[in-house]
Amino acid sequence: MHDEYMTRSLPIAKQSTDTYHTPSHVVKALTPFRKRTDVGAWEDVDQLIYKEQGYGAAFKSITRRILFDSNAGQHNQVRYFEVAAGGWSTFEHHEHTHQVIIYRGSGTAIVGYHSFQVSEGDLIFVDSWQWHQFIANDDAALGFICIVTADRDHPVQATPAQLQEIFSQHPELETIIHA
Ligand code: MN
């Protein structure tokens, strides 16, 4: 099967002084149809680690899949993330935007300084440099499709001082955000 794959690695992240590096992956050859094999799983779509080491406990119980890659003619990536019950994505911000479609389950999306209860079918837009985090409910996984430009900057986490500022301005977020 491996000879079906293009083995070049993708320049999907701009160089940065940040320590984050997008986990390497193989860009797969395009095929016209891939069957869904389970909820949140598809033929010829690998489950990948969410982010590499260096993020400590900044995220919990989250996986990543690339549904459509940058070789699909639109200079973007369409990813599927799944946060297990009780888990969360990194609280972060960056220049690139996110177009998000909730695919399964329910949870909380932090966007900017607002929190939203989200469930299947909801749409979320994260603009440049807006803080964001996706948190699954304790009793349900939260799966979402997230579209990003292929050439993008690295996510940046909040410093302790930034968190203190956010929580002083928006105290209601202190019990919601995981950072
Ligand atoms: Mn992000």
Side-chain angles (χ1 to χ4, degrees):
M1 288 294 284
H2 279 284
D3 56 0
E4 293 182 15
Y5 303 159
M6 289 174 275
T7 54
R8 72 185 172 84
S9 54
L10 266 183
I12 55 173
K14 294 173 183 170
Q15 292 300 308
S16 161
T17 54
D18 186 47
T19 56
Y20 171 70
H21 298 286
T22 302
S24 60
H25 67 280
V26 173
V27 181
K28 295 191 173 184
L30 288 164
T31 55
F33 178 75
R34 289 164 292 164
K35 185 77 177 169
R36 191 189 78 157
T37 56
D38 199 350
V39 179
W42 296 264
E43 283 177 353
D44 206 29
V45 174
D46 299 327
Q47 179 179 304
L48 305 171
I49 62 167
Y50 171 58
K51 281 173 180 166
E52 286 182 337
Q53 299 301 313
Y55 267 70
F59 58 86
K60 182 184 178 188
S61 304
I62 177 165
T63 58
R64 179 174 64 100
R65 288 170 170 83
I66 298 171
L67 307 184
F68 298 97
D69 215 331
S70 58
N71 59 342
Q74 299 191 2
H75 205 66
N76 65 13
Q77 281 188 323
V78 179
R79 299 94 49 85
Y80 176 70
F81 293 93
E82 194 163 290
V83 188
W88 56 83
S89 65
T90 309
F91 182 70
E92 64 183 28
H93 69 176
H94 37 66
E95 184 177 19
H96 65 270
T97 66
H98 288 314
Q99 301 168 357
V100 174
I101 305 154
I102 304 296
Y103 173 84
R104 71 176 296 198
S106 56
T108 303
I110 305 282
V111 182
Y113 304 106
H114 300 277
S115 75
F116 303 96
Q117 296 306 303
V118 298
S119 58
E120 183 181 322
D122 289 343
L123 305 177
I124 297 145
F125 174 63
V126 179
D127 209 345
S128 289
W129 297 111
Q130 280 188 309
W131 294 108
H132 55 282
Q133 181 169 54
F134 294 88
I135 305 157
N137 284 348
D138 286 336
D139 59 353
L142 178 65
F144 58 93
I145 291 163
C146 177
I147 302 168
V148 287
T149 187
D151 182 18
R152 59 187 182 272
D153 61 324
H154 296 273
V156 178
Q157 289 180 258
T159 64
Q162 286 174 318
L163 283 173
Q164 195 172 21
E165 175 72 12
I166 291 167
F167 295 149
S168 70
Q169 302 278 326
H170 308 277
E172 70 283 3
L173 294 178
E174 188 159 6
T175 57
I176 302 173
I177 290 171
H178 295 267

